[in-house]
Amino acid sequence: MPTPSMEDYIEQIYILIESKGYARVSDIAEALDVHPSSVTKMVQKLDKDEYLNYEKYRGLILTTQGKKIGKRLVYRHELLEQFLELIGVEKENIYQDVEGIEHHLSWNSIDRIGDLVQYLEKTPQAIEALKQLHKEADETLK
Amino acid sequence: MPTPSMEDYIEQIYILIESKGYARVSDIAEALDVHPSSVTKMVQKLDKDEYLNYEKYRGLILTTQGKKIGKRLVYRHELLEQFLELIGVEKENIYQDVEGIEHHLSWNSIDRIGDLVQYLEKTPQAIEALKQLHKEADETLK
DNA sequence: AAAAAATGTTATAATCGTCATATACTATAT
DNA sequence: ATATAGTATATGACGATTATAACATTTTTT
């Protein structure tokens, strides 16, 4: 099992490869806002654990395992963003919150949140009701 | 701002004091499943940061700050448990998931989840719809 | 009140992920 | 082909948390 930090790297590497075809150390460092030296170290670990194959100075590719996991991690991330957005969390909190919680939810919870998102998307009245509750709570504060 | 680990301690100490009137090092250690020496160290830090007053070998009490924060942390924990339960997450995953995510959600997200829980409690059809979606997903797997 | 048991503390070390610095390698431009 | 700029690595350190083991204090038992 990858640690939370390893998951961050795998997820980001997957996204980079999807979008631009490769993932260099410096791309990863920039995307995750860490130092290149940290990337090198982590990438070596991910190679050892067979999430990717890494040739130093040359590049890296995800293994079958790595790709499979990366894909799920990206799905999970997007689902959670969608969820928080639907229930009315402010944009500026969403990214950080998802970043924090994504590594700590069982797939069971993710699946149930998936259903919930599906429900909320199909049920505009629900969203309306939530907005109403939010407004009421705000007024009470005055 | 307390770190996640500090929050765990404050929350647990608050619960212990609520339920049995005091919180000894060994109680805290048992509740959090860490060694007593770790508790001592953390409690010293929490004393330094004024979440509690600690006299070695004798005991500790929460400061006004500590109590206030403890209360919010317990509320947050219970809300998240309630949320996961309502959407149908299995009992055996709930505790650990909440333990993992509670420290990583903004109060904005917590408030919106609070509204959502209120909505779900008032709207049994929503729960029914979720159960239905869950069942369908299960059947698709067959 | 002394001995034994229980509880709490300290010192030291390990782990994880990070950064900083110095060094090594690669690619580009001339 | 060489110099240079850009990129990657190795090494060592640190901050946060935990554990181990030795030690100190308090409580209980006799």
Side-chain angles (χ1 to χ4, degrees), chain B residues 37-95:
Chain B
S37 60
S38 309
V39 176
T40 299
K41 186 162 255 185
M42 181 58 89
V43 153
Q44 287 166 343
K45 185 192 219 167
L46 293 174
D47 176 283
K48 190 166 62 59
D49 290 359
E50 312 213 280
Y51 295 112
L52 49 81
N53 293 135
Y54 171 58
E55 274 186 87
K56 64 156 140 167
Y57 293 114
R58 316 253 76 236
L60 56 85
I61 55 172
L62 290 171
T63 59
T64 309
Q65 252 309 292
K67 262 183 238 162
K68 192 171 126 199
I69 292 182
K71 189 171 187 167
R72 289 183 96 193
L73 298 179
V74 170
Y75 160 74
R76 186 176 70 181
H77 189 106
E78 286 171 353
L79 175 69
L80 291 171
E81 285 196 343
Q82 216 181 337
F83 166 59
L84 293 183
E85 211 214 307
L86 277 169
I87 65 173
V89 175
E90 309 275 347
K91 275 260 183 319
E92 66 260 36
N93 292 312
I94 290 183
Y95 189 81

Side-chain angles (χ1 to χ4, degrees), chain A residues 118-133:
Chain A
Q118 227 183 300
Y119 168 78
L120 290 173
E121 284 190 320
K122 280 205 285 240
T123 318
Q125 316 93 280
I127 304 289
E128 274 315 306
L130 288 178
K131 278 200 190 125
Q132 196 51 40
L133 283 170

Side-chain angles (χ1 to χ4, degrees), chain A residues 12-13 15-16 25-34 95:
Chain A
Q12 198 55 60
I13 289 167
I15 289 170
L16 285 166
V25 168
S26 52
D27 299 325
I28 303 168
E30 190 184 0
L32 294 176
D33 197 27
V34 295
Y95 188 81

Side-chain angles (χ1 to χ4, degrees), chain A residues 6-80:
Chain A
M6 287 161 79
E7 287 192 349
D8 277 336
Y9 280 86
I10 296 171
E11 182 179 334
Q12 198 55 60
I13 289 167
Y14 183 90
I15 289 170
L16 285 166
I17 291 180
E18 281 266 291
S19 66
K20 49 192 293 191
Y22 55 87
R24 314 270 313 260
V25 168
S26 52
D27 299 325
I28 303 168
E30 190 184 0
L32 294 176
D33 197 27
V34 295
H35 282 228
S37 59
S38 309
V39 176
T40 301
K41 190 169 251 185
M42 182 57 89
V43 153
Q44 287 166 345
K45 185 189 209 166
L46 293 174
D47 176 284
K48 190 165 62 60
D49 289 359
E50 311 213 281
Y51 294 110
L52 49 81
N53 292 134
Y54 174 58
E55 275 186 87
K56 62 161 143 169
Y57 295 113
R58 317 252 77 238
L60 56 84
I61 54 173
L62 291 171
T63 59
T64 309
Q65 252 309 290
K67 262 184 240 161
K68 194 171 127 200
I69 291 183
K71 189 171 188 168
R72 290 183 96 193
L73 297 179
V74 170
Y75 160 73
R76 186 176 69 181
H77 189 105
E78 287 170 353
L79 175 70
L80 290 171

